[in-house]
Amino acid sequence: MTGPKQLDTRPVMTGADADAYRNDFVAHLCQTVPGIKERVIADAAGCSLKTAEGQVLLDMISGIAVSNVGHCHPVVVEAIKDQLDRFAHVDVYGRFTLPPQVEIARRLASVTPGDLDVAFLTSTGTEATEGALKLARKYTGRPGFVAFERSFHGRTFGSLSVTWKEEWRRPFEPLLQPVRFVPFDDLDAASGAIDSDIAAVIVEPVQGEGGVRIPSDDFLPGLRELCTERGALLICDEVQGGMGRSGHWFSCQNWGVTPDVITIAKAFGGGLPLGAFISTAEIFATFLDPPLSHLTTFGGNPVSCAAAVAAFDVIEKDGLVERATEMGEYLADGLRSVQEDHPETLVGIRGIGLWYAFDVDPAGLAQPLVDDMARRGVVVGSMLNSAGTVRVAPPLVIRRVEIDRFIGALGSSIAELAG
């Protein structure tokens, strides 16, 4: 694998300059979480972040499943620079053929399951969800959707409509209707909800913000059968689970399932904003009648596509899909060793590939643990839809020595907080 640049511990700015950034971040950028952020990030490389004061942090969440090839991978950086020398933006839909778009679409088609070989490129994951929901409604002529408890699909109106947490949905209602939420990994409940009004079932094959919840082996294949039988589309949200995170290019491939639509984003852009929803030529043909049924200004931005091509090629060339399984097993062994030492505090471990979560007891210990780990120089995170759960999803390029550092810090942190 091509190595990242090296980070030193020299300060990048004065304390006064760093404080000015902290204060103006609160003053001039919209806040949705109260409080001043403790760290100002000045640099990043591989699995590491560097603060303005020179502290080097181990990133064990990849910017929330974004930096699968690591931060500032030299191949990705070079591709971005090269594309910027050519052009940064032109009309991305309808007027020109853009080689970076074609290159990434070709690569996607080479790894997607079944006949899913057509992509609509977006800027974000929630935009990909919006497009997938529109596509399902238009193709089927039906209004409704089935989604799952603990699901998370985005924050815009359509995506929020199929996101489980009521406290986020309620302030923005009325949203899309009808939407029926049923328990995850419950085929009987799903069967009872899918009727002739349902355009699509949208599911994360592995629930991300729900706490890395992995279904029974018959769940995804059973959903596929139900949707086929009843004329609804199956949408697999791979925004967190795609691009090798689960040990396959897409997490649905762990169960041999081909959905009708796949959504991706996060790691897809190699660190730049890029998403897509992927389907068949037959299903996408509905967007031709009438023409311009769905458009975007910045989706498929050429610089983002160039970064995506480079990141895809790094994942393929360096065998990072397979590496996710290998290093995930090593990570799981380390987590189990901490659990053996602290069985009353670390009470549950779930994971697949390099995508893990663990539960702590009491649940209120999760955020203090996240904060204490940061003080020890390790970045982990909590989950939006799973109280008491801590996220572990490092870059796929992580090394054993870095996992060892994480496990050591975790054991020390739990021992101190539990004591």
Side-chain angles (χ1 to χ4, degrees):
M1 293 186 292
T2 305
K5 63 185 179 181
Q6 298 301 306
L7 300 180
D8 58 44
T9 57
R10 290 175 294 182
V12 177
M13 61 183 74
T14 66
D17 286 341
D19 285 341
Y21 274 113
R22 291 185 184 95
N23 293 331
D24 285 350
F25 181 89
V26 173
H28 302 303
L29 290 165
C30 173
Q31 303 298 301
T32 59
V33 177
I36 291 179
K37 307 297 184 287
E38 292 185 7
R39 290 163 181 81
V40 178
I41 299 301
D43 206 349
C47 298
S48 298
L49 310 174
K50 179 180 175 179
T51 70
E53 293 83 0
Q55 182 186 19
V56 176
L57 307 170
L58 177 61
D59 181 7
M60 292 298 292
I61 59 173
S62 309
I64 310 187
V66 169
S67 303
N68 281 16
V69 299
H71 297 281
C72 295
H73 194 290
V75 174
V76 177
V77 171
E78 186 61 31
I80 291 169
K81 290 177 178 178
D82 182 66
Q83 183 56 45
L84 278 171
D85 281 340
R86 301 171 188 274
F87 56 89
H89 173 77
V90 295
D91 187 350
V92 296
Y93 269 96
R95 187 176 297 270
F96 305 116
T97 295
L98 304 183
Q101 291 184 339
V102 177
E103 290 291 345
I104 192 56
R106 284 173 173 167
R107 283 163 171 79
L108 282 178
S110 73
V111 295
T112 44
D115 295 328
L116 305 182
D117 58 4
V118 179
F120 189 107
L121 299 173
T122 68
S123 298
T124 64
T126 193
E127 186 188 351
T129 302
E130 295 285 342
L133 298 178
K134 287 179 65 178
L135 181 65
R137 270 193 169 179
K138 191 167 188 311
Y139 180 75
T140 64
R142 300 175 177 183
F145 299 97
V146 171
F148 293 91
E149 295 174 5
R150 295 186 185 269
S151 65
F152 182 85
H153 299 290
R155 300 286 198 173
T156 50
F157 272 99
S159 302
L160 187 59
S161 301
V162 292
T163 289
W164 168 68
K165 205 163 188 176
E166 187 178 0
E167 70 179 270
W168 294 334
R169 286 186 282 113
R170 190 185 306 114
F172 304 103
E173 291 175 344
L175 298 170
L176 291 184
Q177 289 294 331
V179 176
R180 298 165 190 160
F181 290 97
V182 298
F184 184 66
D185 199 20
D186 187 333
L187 274 178
D188 289 339
S191 179
I194 304 170
D195 60 23
S196 59
D197 285 336
I198 297 302
V201 175
I202 182 167
V203 63
E204 300 158 271
V206 176
Q207 287 192 324
E209 296 303 328
V212 191
R213 308 280 171 179
I214 302 168
S216 306
D217 284 343
D218 62 347
F219 179 62
L220 264 292
L223 274 186
R224 173 68 281 175
E225 291 180 14
L226 285 171
C227 288
T228 301
E229 172 190 302
R230 301 182 189 183
L233 299 190
L234 178 61
I235 301 171
C236 281
D237 180 337
E238 299 278 5
V239 171
Q240 281 197 42
M243 310 313 292
R245 173 61 56 188
S246 74
H248 286 79
W249 280 100
F250 306 98
S251 61
C252 63
Q253 291 172 315
N254 284 282
W255 294 275
V257 168
T258 299
D260 300 292
V261 186
I262 286 175
T263 63
I264 56 172
K266 290 192 179 291
F268 179 42
L272 294 189
L274 188 66
F277 55 109
I278 308 159
S279 189
T280 66
E282 175 197 343
I283 293 173
F284 266 127
T286 193
F287 276 170
L288 290 169
D289 181 21
L292 309 181
S293 287
H294 194 68
L295 284 178
T296 176
T297 297
F298 284 106
N301 171 268
V303 180
S304 294
C305 287
V309 168
F312 184 103
D313 289 350
V314 168
I315 292 171
E316 197 164 53
K317 176 176 177 291
D318 291 346
L320 296 187
V321 176
E322 296 78 15
R323 183 180 173 82
T325 298
E326 174 194 345
M327 298 307 290
E329 291 172 354
Y330 188 74
L331 172 63
D333 288 342
L335 288 171
R336 284 190 287 267
S337 72
V338 177
Q339 186 179 40
E340 288 173 3
D341 292 337
H342 306 281
E344 295 181 356
T345 304
L346 204 166
V347 294
I349 300 169
R350 295 177 300 279
I352 187 169
L354 261 174
W355 195 10
Y356 272 79
F358 60 86
D359 301 324
V360 294
D361 185 29
L365 190 64
Q367 192 57 50
L369 177 62
V370 169
D371 296 339
D372 189 71
M373 292 286 285
R375 285 190 288 272
R376 297 173 188 274
V378 178
V379 180
V380 291
S382 54
M383 296 290 204
L384 293 176
N385 285 342
S386 185
T389 302
V390 176
R391 177 201 315 272
V392 186
L396 306 187
V397 296
I398 194 166
R399 299 167 298 163
R400 289 181 179 234
V401 65
E402 291 166 319
I403 292 177
D404 291 342
R405 177 185 167 192
F406 159 68
I407 293 298
L410 176 62
S412 297
S413 188
I414 287 181
E416 181 172 320
L417 291 172

